[in-house]
Amino acid sequence: MPSSLALRGTVEGFYGPPWSQAERLAHLEFSARFGLNTYVFAPKDDPRHRAEWREPHPAPELGRLAALVEAARGLGIRFVYAISPGLSMRFSDDADHRALVAKARQLSEVGVASFALFFDDVPMDLSHPDDRERWPGAGAAHGETCAQFVAELGLDEPLLVCPTDYAGVEETAYRRHFATTAPADVRVCWTGDDIVVGTITRDDIDRAAASYRRRLVLWDNFPVNDFEPSRLFLGPVTGRTTDLAGAPLDG
């Protein structure tokens, strides 16, 4: 992974039992040893990340997160807390936007300084009539949610965002709508020309970035096996371009 990339690290973003506190601490140490600088907390089956995203963390959980943040800081690792509100958020409801910001502010109190909003693996269409009346599609609603979140928190670094349309290189209605409302500096998580890929070319990167009109962070789904948990995917990562000079890729 080229050291010139601003973000170099891992996403704990799989389905199934989340890592334990000990496993996360061990992974932070591993990351530091191998020149990685970012860890994104986004376990799909952690209720406060996704299913119960509005709920604040109870004190014991908050204490464990504080310990992770402190350990990451000591190792030179950026700790990014991701919130995944897309399953149930009413995007036209101000109360839900306030809940999103309140969740982030609780985490800020224990030292979290970097955040992400994830809209992966949720319906591509807006389900609530009020949302459909306000926006031409989910991409616009997701982008505006990011803009409100950044404005309320006053973040001093680009927000990391995983859109619902996170794979492929072609322009889509979702991506066009997202580009009209999202902050110009958001970093878009993208998995390649498909969800799990064997190769990623410079042309893939350039075309995908153009389709989002934003810079990318490659969320490389390797060695993720939550879609086939009976197998372990081991071996070297191959087929990733090293032609990154001037590429619209931040991590």
Side-chain angles (χ1 to χ4, degrees):
M1 188 178 297
S3 59
S4 60
L5 294 175
L7 304 181
R8 307 182 306 277
T10 53
V11 183
E12 183 188 346
F14 49 83
Y15 293 90
W19 286 342
S20 68
Q21 183 79 350
E23 288 167 336
R24 288 172 180 146
L25 289 168
H27 184 72
L28 291 174
E29 294 177 357
F30 167 89
S31 298
R33 286 201 309 275
F34 287 92
L36 307 182
N37 66 8
T38 304
Y39 161 74
V40 182
F41 177 94
K44 291 287 194 297
D45 290 339
D46 181 299
R48 250 68 67 183
H49 162 68
R50 186 171 167 88
E52 301 171 10
W53 64 269
R54 296 175 184 83
E55 299 300 318
H57 285 278
E61 285 182 10
L62 201 60
R64 288 191 289 273
L65 286 168
L68 288 175
V69 171
E70 183 177 0
R73 185 182 297 115
L75 292 165
I77 306 292
R78 175 190 285 103
F79 181 98
V80 182
Y81 186 99
I83 307 172
S84 183
L87 285 174
S88 62
M89 186 169 183
R90 286 265 306 277
F91 298 101
S92 55
D93 187 344
D94 290 341
D96 268 1
H97 289 278
R98 290 194 297 270
L100 197 58
V101 171
K103 180 67 165 283
R105 285 182 171 148
Q106 185 203 30
L107 292 155
S108 296
E109 291 173 358
V110 297
V112 177
S114 299
F115 292 94
L117 292 182
F118 283 0
F119 301 99
D120 53 320
D121 300 352
V122 301
M124 190 71 76
D125 298 319
L126 294 168
S127 59
H128 196 275
D130 291 347
D131 292 346
R132 292 198 299 271
E133 183 177 340
R134 183 168 174 179
W135 290 284
H142 296 168
E144 187 163 319
T145 297
C146 295
Q148 289 191 39
F149 185 78
V150 168
E152 285 289 332
L153 289 176
L155 300 180
D156 57 5
E157 63 178 40
L159 180 70
L160 186 66
V161 181
C162 185
T164 308
D165 185 4
Y166 57 78
V169 300
E170 303 295 339
E171 184 174 288
T172 63
Y174 178 98
R175 297 181 189 192
R176 287 195 301 273
H177 294 153
F178 179 83
T180 65
T181 57
D185 66 346
V186 296
R187 289 166 163 155
V188 173
C189 292
W190 166 75
T191 61
D193 67 1
D194 207 339
I195 297 171
V196 179
V197 297
T199 60
I200 297 169
T201 68
R202 173 61 186 268
D203 185 60
D204 292 337
I205 295 168
D206 290 342
R207 291 175 65 198
S211 74
Y212 293 110
R213 299 172 176 80
R214 299 295 187 277
R215 296 183 66 82
L216 303 178
V217 170
L218 172 63
W219 183 337
D220 198 336
N221 274 318
F222 182 91
V224 177
N225 71 333
D226 56 6
F227 59 91
E228 196 168 356
S230 63
R231 296 175 59 197
L232 287 177
F233 300 150
L234 303 175
V237 183
T238 60
R240 274 57 177 160
T241 184
T242 58
D243 176 19
L244 296 179
L249 186 73
D250 285 347

